[in-house]
Amino acid sequence: MSDKATTKIHRRPMSPTDTADFEGHPPPVFLEAINLESLLNHLEDARPSIIADISEDQTPPARYIIGQELGSGSVGQVIEARDQHLGRQVAIKILHDGEGLSRDGIARFVAEAQITAQLEHPSVVPVHEIGIMPGGMLYFSMKLVKGRSLGDVINHLRIGDREFRRAYNYLARLRLFQRICQGMAYAHAKGVVHRDLKPGNIFIGEFGEVQIMDWGLAKTVKSPLPDFDEDPVATVRQASGMNTMGGAIAGTPAYMSPEQARGDYIHIGPQSDVYALGLILAEFMSLTRVYRQATFQATLEAARSPKGEVDIRALAPRATFSHGVDRVIRKATHPDIEQRYSHAGELSTDIAKLIEEQLPPSSIKRSIKPDDYDEDLDMSGNTHEDEADNSDEKDRPASWRPYLIGAAAMLAVQIIVYLLW
């Protein structure tokens, strides 16, 4: 493949009857010899079969039968398909065709598949394989996620949907958000920054599973956890020397960190995702989006120069929020990178503390409370010193008070009757 500015990905015609099994040479050793060109050559030699019409002649049988479109964007489209080999429904993302595609655009599509596939975590959608369709277009297949986006959930909560209000109470929202943080904590440990976290890219499955989608803008960086023993994520963009994009602004302005909105590529790292997570948490809890400007440019300008940390109480003045969740959001959305959580794992830890304080008190809960518990994150807004001052009052069983009052009243009545008699 040439190094021209634009490169056509089409090579030689393929028919629906191409073999469904991988043939040709074994794949090159990843990443020692692999680059964009060698990978595309290997995929063309392998070329698994994929067809759009089950009535077509299949000799041998095709692996994928194309179904309905699930979504479409500027880069590609996602369609539902039937995997004939494994007997399951999958989602297939296809790179859009055109007069010519840039070499970097093709590499970014391949890198998205490779990054997603290497992030083997329950909160990251699994990728099954990558290949070239008949006609020459790249695709990769992945798990078909059935459910709704977090953005859809927030919209239902905004309009006061009772079913959603019951399902997503205060504690449920914190628990769901923690699962998002756990998925991003793993990505950050592997040296991957998402760069486009937003409610529309987070899906909640029919059984409550959380899936972080659309890693097309992901950036690979050095892991913030030096002792993390898993291999870092590697892609053809790194091997082909295309893992830089200085000055470019990519993402969704309403959920961008200041450095990302300014195109400060060098400083975009895990803390940038933390900022987006802070914006998502603020919106999920208050049901009010932080940046609500009318135009793309106005939103971008607001994101570039925030006035300070996000104040959730200002977003929803009539609502009541704990001191703990307010502090977490402020720390996650601090304009200064150094003042934020350094990665999503730290944010997840503090969310876990908030969840613990929402659970009913018990001796078991008190016995497993970590030694480094931060009293400032108490959900009631009181420190544990305040609790100690009121311990005598709290230790008295509240259920006895009505009986004591009633007994005293009856005794008083009896005394009055006796005196009158």
Side-chain angles (χ1 to χ4, degrees):
M1 206 168 194
S2 65
D3 294 338
K4 295 180 181 180
T6 59
T7 307
K8 288 186 177 181
I9 194 172
H10 301 286
R11 292 176 175 273
R12 62 171 182 261
M14 300 184 201
S15 69
T17 57
D18 283 330
T19 176
D21 298 319
F22 285 124
E23 295 177 348
H25 304 289
V29 178
F30 192 83
L31 246 174
E32 294 178 2
I34 195 169
N35 55 35
L36 181 60
E37 286 72 23
S38 62
L39 175 66
L40 293 177
N41 285 328
H42 171 70
L43 292 178
E44 183 175 331
D45 290 338
R47 61 179 187 280
S49 179
I50 181 169
I51 67 171
D53 188 352
I54 196 170
S55 64
E56 293 182 23
D57 180 35
Q58 304 170 49
T59 310
R63 175 163 188 175
Y64 297 111
I65 307 298
I66 298 300
Q68 63 181 348
E69 181 180 293
L70 300 175
S72 182
S74 59
V75 176
Q77 65 180 146
V78 180
I79 55 178
E80 186 174 353
R82 176 74 175 175
D83 186 335
Q84 298 285 82
H85 285 187
L86 298 175
R88 62 180 175 182
Q89 298 298 112
V90 299
I92 292 182
K93 187 167 186 176
I94 303 172
L95 184 64
H96 275 322
D97 196 356
E99 185 64 26
L101 294 169
S102 70
R103 182 171 179 265
D104 187 71
I106 297 170
R108 185 166 291 283
F109 183 84
V110 174
E112 177 186 355
Q114 292 174 331
I115 288 172
T116 311
Q118 292 174 53
L119 294 178
E120 297 181 283
H121 188 275
S123 292
V124 180
V125 61
V127 168
H128 304 316
E129 69 161 1
I130 186 171
I132 298 179
M133 295 181 64
M137 294 312 302
L138 276 171
Y139 76 91
F140 62 87
S141 63
M142 54 188 166
K143 174 185 175 181
L144 177 64
V145 180
K146 295 182 178 181
R148 62 179 74 247
S149 71
L150 179 59
D152 190 25
V153 170
I154 292 174
N155 286 334
H156 277 272
L157 292 172
R158 281 193 183 115
I159 64 175
D161 188 307
R162 292 185 179 181
E163 180 183 349
F164 280 77
R165 290 276 185 174
R166 286 194 297 268
Y168 296 96
N169 58 29
Y170 194 87
L171 181 57
R173 294 184 206 183
L174 287 176
R175 283 173 166 164
L176 188 148
F177 183 76
Q178 188 192 24
R179 294 202 293 275
I180 299 170
C181 290
Q182 289 170 339
M184 287 310 306
Y186 179 72
H188 290 167
K190 293 274 284 185
V192 175
V193 181
H194 190 286
R195 293 205 304 160
D196 198 20
L197 288 172
K198 56 185 177 182
N201 280 342
I202 298 167
F203 269 72
I204 304 166
E206 294 176 332
F207 297 94
E209 65 272 26
V210 172
Q211 303 276 244
I212 303 169
M213 313 289 287
D214 201 351
W215 297 79
L217 295 180
K219 171 188 176 183
T220 54
V221 297
K222 183 178 180 181
S223 173
L225 304 179
D227 297 330
F228 191 68
D229 59 0
E230 288 193 25
D231 292 333
V233 167
T235 73
V236 293
R237 297 190 77 242
Q238 295 167 271
S240 303
M242 294 182 285
N243 200 33
T244 58
M245 197 171 67
I249 298 174
T252 304
Y255 300 95
M256 280 186 184
S257 64
E259 63 273 11
Q260 190 173 347
R262 292 192 294 264
D264 188 1
Y265 190 81
I266 294 177
H267 292 100
I268 294 175
Q271 296 97 326
S272 304
D273 281 346
V274 164
Y275 193 96
L277 288 169
L279 296 178
I280 292 170
L281 178 60
E283 182 176 351
F284 196 19
M285 303 305 285
S286 70
L287 306 182
T288 303
R289 200 173 67 186
V290 175
Y291 296 117
R292 304 186 298 277
Q293 287 70 17
T295 65
F296 177 94
Q297 192 59 37
T299 306
L300 189 62
E301 289 298 329
R304 283 173 176 168
S305 305
K307 297 178 181 179
E309 310 101 305
V310 172
D311 181 2
I312 192 173
R313 301 178 195 276
L315 290 177
R318 296 183 179 180
T320 302
F321 301 102
S322 71
H323 178 61
V325 75
D326 177 61
R327 287 197 56 183
V328 167
I329 291 173
R330 285 181 178 275
K331 184 172 182 179
T333 59
H334 200 290
D336 184 354
I337 296 177
E338 299 301 323
Q339 300 300 316
R340 296 177 211 155
Y341 297 101
S342 61
H343 53 82
E346 292 183 352
L347 174 56
S348 178
T349 298
D350 273 3
I351 294 297
K353 293 176 182 178
L354 299 184
I355 292 171
E356 181 189 353
E357 289 305 312
Q358 282 288 290
L359 300 176
S362 68
S363 57
I364 296 178
K365 176 185 163 186
R366 286 193 294 271
S367 68
I368 64 173
K369 186 160 52 182
D371 296 335
D372 62 348
Y373 178 77
D374 183 359
E375 65 181 17
D376 288 332
L377 287 179
D378 185 79
M379 291 299 294
S380 65
N382 299 323
T383 64
H384 293 284
E385 293 177 358
D386 294 332
E387 290 180 357
D389 294 338
N390 299 323
S391 60
D392 292 339
E393 181 72 13
K394 289 186 176 182
D395 289 340
R396 182 180 300 163
S399 60
W400 282 99
R401 291 178 185 174
Y403 297 101
L404 293 174
I405 294 172
M410 290 183 64
L411 178 61
V413 170
Q414 290 175 356
I415 292 173
I416 292 172
V417 170
Y418 174 78
L419 292 175
L420 291 175
W421 180 82

